[in-house]
């Protein structure tokens, strides 16, 4: 199974973000952002599958909660880097140029993880029901969870859109916009740990709190 291959391809497309430093037209910037989103779509299924194998012992809710929290730590540091760049009278170009560093560090860390655990599926022996599901149709719970996810984010306002209006309407300065985003990601990190721990204790019903967050 090509878990690592899909994960490497997906995270490799993160390099489209620091490439924004060399873009002078919004059309090219839009293409690079779409490429990065495609990378997320490619890597997420494989990455989450490997996480499900790796988190069996600690609890899947807690394991995914830790992953989400650490993910948001990065989402906090990145905007704060931009705020610092703007504070020092830098530009978006300089801010995106700095992002080459975390991008390559992420790929290097991924390579180390691949070397340490080349076959993540071996961390967990498949159950008999899993073998049956592989050969047959997807279970009913899958479709219910998919519907839940769809309804949870229906009408969700992306921060890119929010930040655009914050800038265009001159509600806050460019220095403050990344700070607001960092605060939101900090709340997300704490919520992920709380929901993850709760999931391990009471199961899927804990996810009813997600739309409220």
């Amino acid at each position: 199974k090509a878990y690592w291959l899909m994960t490497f391809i997906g995270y490799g497309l993160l390099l489209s973000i620091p490439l924004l430093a060399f873009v002078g037209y919004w059309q090219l910037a839009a293409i690079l952002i779409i490429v990065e989103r495609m990378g997320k779509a490619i890597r997420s299924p494989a990455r989450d599958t490997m996480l499900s194998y790796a988190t069996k012992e600690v609890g899947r809710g807690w394991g995914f909660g830790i992953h989400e929290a650490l993910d948001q730590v990065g989402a906090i540091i990145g905007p704060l880097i931009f705020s610092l760049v703007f504070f020092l009278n830098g530009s978006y170009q300089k801010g995106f140029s700095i992002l080459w560093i975390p991008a390559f560090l992420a790929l290097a860390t991924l390579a180390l993880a691949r070397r340490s655990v080349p076959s993540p599926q071996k961390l967990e022996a498949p159950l008999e029901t899993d073998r049956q599901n592989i050969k047959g149709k997807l279970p009913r719970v899958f479709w219910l969870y998919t519907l839940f996810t769809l309804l949870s984010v229906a009408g969700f306002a992306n921060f890119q859109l929010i930040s655009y209006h914050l800038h265009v309407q001159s509600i806050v300065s460019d220095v403050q916009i990344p700070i607001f985003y960092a605060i939101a990601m900090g709340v997300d990190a704490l919520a992920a740990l709380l929901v993850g721990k709760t999931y391990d204790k009471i199961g899927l019903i804990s996810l009813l709190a997600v739309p409220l967050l």
Side-chain angles (χ1 to χ4, degrees):
K1 296 180 180 180
Y3 294 133
W4 284 114
L5 175 61
M6 301 304 291
T7 304
F8 269 104
I9 292 174
Y11 278 105
L13 293 178
L14 279 175
L15 297 178
S16 61
I17 297 302
L19 281 174
L20 288 169
F22 306 105
V23 171
Y25 301 94
W26 72 264
Q27 294 91 340
L28 292 177
I31 291 173
L32 289 176
I33 292 174
I34 292 172
V35 168
E36 189 279 327
R37 292 292 85 188
M38 290 175 59
K40 181 176 176 61
I42 292 172
R43 67 179 178 261
S44 291
R47 180 203 63 202
D48 289 351
T49 300
M50 291 192 289
L51 278 173
S52 71
Y53 292 138
T55 56
K56 178 184 178 182
E57 298 299 327
V58 299
R60 288 191 172 88
W62 182 239
F64 274 87
I66 292 175
H67 165 263
E68 178 67 14
L70 292 175
D71 187 43
Q72 299 315 313
V73 168
I76 292 171
I77 295 174
L80 291 181
I81 289 175
F82 266 88
S83 289
L84 179 61
V85 170
F86 291 147
F87 181 76
L88 297 175
N89 296 319
S91 62
Y92 280 100
Q93 184 179 24
K94 290 182 179 179
F96 282 117
S97 296
I98 293 175
L99 295 184
W100 284 106
I101 298 174
F104 281 118
L105 287 176
L107 292 176
T109 302
L110 192 63
L112 290 175
R114 166 66 176 80
R115 183 177 179 180
S116 300
V117 189
S119 301
Q121 63 270 26
K122 293 182 179 179
L123 295 173
E124 178 184 0
L127 300 174
E128 185 61 32
T129 53
D130 294 333
R131 297 191 184 97
Q132 294 173 358
N133 289 335
I134 292 174
K135 297 179 181 179
K137 297 181 179 179
L138 291 170
R140 180 170 175 267
V141 67
F142 169 82
W143 296 110
L144 289 175
Y145 181 74
T146 301
L147 178 62
F148 164 79
T149 303
L150 172 65
L151 296 177
S152 295
V153 298
F156 180 77
N158 192 287
F159 190 83
Q160 284 87 335
L161 180 61
I162 296 174
S163 62
Y164 170 77
H165 285 286
L166 290 175
H167 172 76
V168 171
Q169 301 297 328
S170 299
I171 298 175
V172 296
S173 67
D174 286 351
V175 177
Q176 293 174 312
I177 291 175
I179 294 177
F180 278 110
Y181 183 77
I183 293 173
M185 295 304 99
V187 173
D188 188 351
L190 294 176
L193 294 173
L194 177 61
V195 173
K197 200 67 174 179
T198 305
Y199 173 85
D200 287 333
K201 292 184 177 181
I202 64 176
L204 283 173
I205 195 172
S206 63
L207 298 182
L208 293 176
V210 171
L212 302 177
L213 300 174

